[in-house]
Amino acid sequence: MANRRIMLCLMTVALALAAGGSPSAAATSLDVELGWGGAYRAGRWSPLFITAADSRPRNVLIELYSPQGTNFAMRIRQIVTIGPQKTTFVLYAPLAGYLESLSVTLRDPSSGRSLADWTGEFFYGGAPAGAATQAPQAFEHLILVSGRHGAQRILQNHFHDNRIGVCSVHPLRLAASPQGYDSVSVLVLDQPDLTRLSREQQQAIVDWVRGGGMLVCWMSEDAQPPNAPIIDALPAVVGENIAISLEERSVREAGLPARFRSLKGRQLTPLPDAQRIPLFGDDVAAFRHRLGLGHVVLLPFDPSTFTFDSATASHAFWRPLLDSALDLYDPDSKNPYYNNPYNDAWQQTRALAASRTMDLLGDVPGIGRFGFSYVAYVLIGMMLVVGPIDWIVLKRLGRQPWTWLTTSGWIALVTLGAMFIGYVFKSGDLHYRTLRLIDQVDGMSIVTNDSIGIYSPRTRIYELTDIDPEGWWQPLVAEPAYYARGGMKTDIRFHQDYRGNRPEQMLINVWNLRFLTAQTIAPAPPVIEADLRYEHRHGANFVVGTIVNRGPVPLKNLLVRVKGGTCPLGGEPLPPGAQVQVNHRFTDHDRRFRYNPYNAHQYGFYDHELAGQYDGVWDIDPRRSRAIDRILDNRQDAACIYATADDVAPVARLSQTGAIEKHMQYVRAVVSIKPIQALAAGEGGTGP
C-alpha cells in the first residue's frame, strides 16, 4: 500500500508539471500563407507569409523545409522576435510542384525544441481547426496586381487563360528585394501611392524589370512624388489630369459598353525611346520602353474597371500591352493551351542548362565512384561472415540462437565502418570550381548567376565564406520542379534575411559532388565597352569598330551577335583595359544561338563548334535569353557580345585549404551598333 501511494503521488506531480508546461507550448501560434494569394510558379522563388505569436516576448527560429529535385531539400532559417501580438514575417523559397513535404517550424533557438509547426499536408486533409485548407495553385505565368484596393477583382476577369494566374497583394507586402518577384511574369501597379511605397520596394521593382521583368502601371489623379525610382523608370512624363473622349465606334469594337466613351486620365509626354501603343483604334495611346532586359508600360487611363463583353475582346485589348511578357491565346481557338506548371518549357530549359553547368563544374579527373564492384565485394563479404563463418563459430560455442543478434551486429559494424572510413581516409583531391554568368545591358551589369561545384574526397563539413550578401543561393538541380515529390533527401541549410539567402556549413560525403547556384539582381560596373557600326562592302555586311575590356581579367572567345548573324573574332585574349579592332563579316548562324524551349529535350540551343564554351549554360534563366532574342529581333541598332574568362576571382571562398580550384566567367553584353553605312566608290565599296 505504501508503494502504491508513493507511485500515485509521483503520477500526480508529473501530471501537474505536464499541465503547467502545456500552456507555454500551446501559447505559440503559427499560420502560413503561401505564394501570392495562394498562387505560385513551380521552381521559382515565391513568398511564404508566416504569422506567429507567443504568450510572452521571445526569440524564435523559423525553419522552412522546401524539397528541391529528387535528392535535395533546403532548410531556410531565420531568427525573429515574437510576442503576444501576431506578427507576420516573409521568407522566400523555390517551391516544388507539389507541397506535401513543405513545412514551417518554429523552434527555440537555444535548445532547438519545436514550439509550433505547419506542413503542406494541411492542404490535402488533416488541417487543424481554423487553418486554411484550400490548396494553392501553380501556374505557368503570374500577373501580380497591387495599388489601389477594390478594382483588382474586375481586372482578374480580363484574363481567360488557364495558364495565367492573376492575384492581388497589398502594397506593404511587395518585396523589397528583386528576387522577391522571381515568380512574377507581369507586375501591375493600379494607381499606386508612391509616397507610401518605400524607396527600397520601388528600387527592387526597377532592378527586377532590368533583369527581365515587366511593369504595367497607370497613375491616380494625385500629384506624384519627384525623384521616385518608379517615376524615373516610366516611358513618359506624367502630366495634368485630363478627360479622354473616345469614338463610339472604337468603344463598341473594343467590346465595351458605351459608358466608357469618357474616361479620366493623365496627360503623357513620351520620352525619346518610348514606343507608342495605339488603343481604341488610335484614339489614345499607351507608351512602352525597354529598361535593361525588361519593359515598362504606362497607360494614360485606368482599365481595371473595364467590363468586356467577351474573352476575345479583353485579350485583344491586353495583347499589345503585354506582348513582350505573355502570349495570350485566342479564346476562339479550337486548340487552347493547357496549364502545365510543373514541367513547362521554362523548367525543361532551365533543367537542361543546369545539367550542362553541372557537367562543366563537375568534370573532375579521377573522380571516385561507388560502382557495382564495391557493392558486390561488400555483399560477398557479408555472405561469408554472416553465413558459414558466423554459423561455424556459434555452433562451436553452442550459441546458434544468437544468430539474429550477430547478424544485426555485423550489418551495423559494416555500416559504421564505412562511415568511419569516409571520415578518416582521403581518396583523391578536393576540387572547387565556380562559374559566374554576367548579363550586361545599357552600359551596366544588371544580373549575375553564380554556380559552384565541390568534389569531396572524404566525408567532412565544408563552409563557404566571402559570399555576396545579396545572392539568393539554392541547390543546383537538373530536374523540373515535379521531381521534388517524395523520397529521401539531403538537407542543405541556408540563412535568409531581407538581402539574400546564404548557405551555412554543409556536410558532403566521400566521393560526392555538391552544386549550388545563386542569382543576384543589382547594378554593377560594365565588363565590356563597345563602339560598333555596320558597313556594307563587296556585297556583304560587316561589323566594324572597337571592343574594350573594362574587367579585371583577360577576355577570350569574343563573339559579336547581331540580327541575323554572328562574328567570331578569334585572336589572342584581350587584356584588361585593352581594346580590339573589329572588322568582320557576319555569317548566318544567329538561329543556333536562339532560345528555343520547344526543342529543349531534343536539341542543343547552341552550335558546339560555333559557340564553344557558351553551350547551354546561359539558359539557367531562360527569360533573359528570350529577352535578348527579342531585342535583336526588333532593333537594328543592337548587338550582343559574348566572352569568357579564366582565372577570375571566385564567387565565394572555400574555408578548407588545399583545394584544386578553377574559376570561370562568362559575359553577355547587349550594346548599341550604328546603322549600316556604305563605303565610297574610291574605297572599294559597292554601295548599300
Side-chain angles (χ1 to χ4, degrees), residues 5 223 384 500 619:
R5 289 173 182 171
L384 292 174
D619 292 324

Side-chain angles (χ1 to χ4, degrees), residues 14-55:
L15 290 173
L17 291 175
S22 60
S24 175
T28 305
S29 65
L30 172 64
D31 191 21
V32 177
E33 181 183 342
L34 190 148
W36 301 106
Y40 70 101
R41 293 177 70 187
R44 297 287 191 117
W45 290 81
S46 300
L48 286 89
F49 296 99
I50 301 167
T51 303
D54 195 89
S55 58

Side-chain angles (χ1 to χ4, degrees), residues 533-617:
R533 68 182 185 275
Y534 288 113
E535 283 189 1
H536 184 84
R537 58 179 185 266
H538 308 301
N541 292 323
F542 288 76
V543 174
V544 180
T546 59
I547 296 176
V548 182
N549 179 7
R550 295 301 183 190
V553 294
L555 298 177
K556 61 180 184 178
N557 298 322
L558 285 162
L559 182 146
V560 180
R561 178 187 168 199
V562 295
K563 182 176 182 179
T566 55
C567 303
L569 302 187
E572 296 296 323
L574 183 62
Q579 71 176 20
V580 61
Q581 295 292 327
V582 181
N583 188 7
H584 290 69
R585 176 180 178 178
F586 63 83
T587 56
D588 185 19
H589 288 295
D590 178 63
R591 60 183 179 83
R592 301 183 181 181
F593 265 77
R594 300 184 60 77
Y595 164 70
N596 186 356
Y598 303 104
N599 291 334
H601 60 291
Q602 296 179 358
Y603 310 106
F605 297 122
Y606 306 103
D607 182 270
H608 287 267
E609 296 181 359
L610 175 66
Q613 298 183 44
Y614 304 125
D615 184 33
V617 297

Side-chain angles (χ1 to χ4, degrees), residues 30-34 46-50 61-68 73-78 91-96 98-107 114 116-124 136 484 489 491-492 496:
L30 172 64
D31 191 21
V32 177
E33 181 183 342
L34 190 148
S46 300
L48 286 89
F49 296 99
I50 301 167
L61 174 66
I62 302 178
E63 185 177 81
L64 166 61
Y65 177 85
S66 178
Q68 304 292 310
M74 300 174 68
R75 286 196 181 272
I76 301 173
R77 312 198 306 168
Q78 184 178 123
L91 291 181
Y92 296 91
L95 297 180
Y98 296 93
L99 306 173
E100 297 97 324
S101 301
L102 185 73
S103 67
V104 177
T105 304
L106 296 184
R107 300 186 182 275
S114 175
D117 57 16
W118 172 95
T119 176
E121 292 180 352
F122 291 169
F123 295 131
Y124 308 97
K489 302 184 186 302
D491 293 354
I492 305 177
Q496 185 174 128

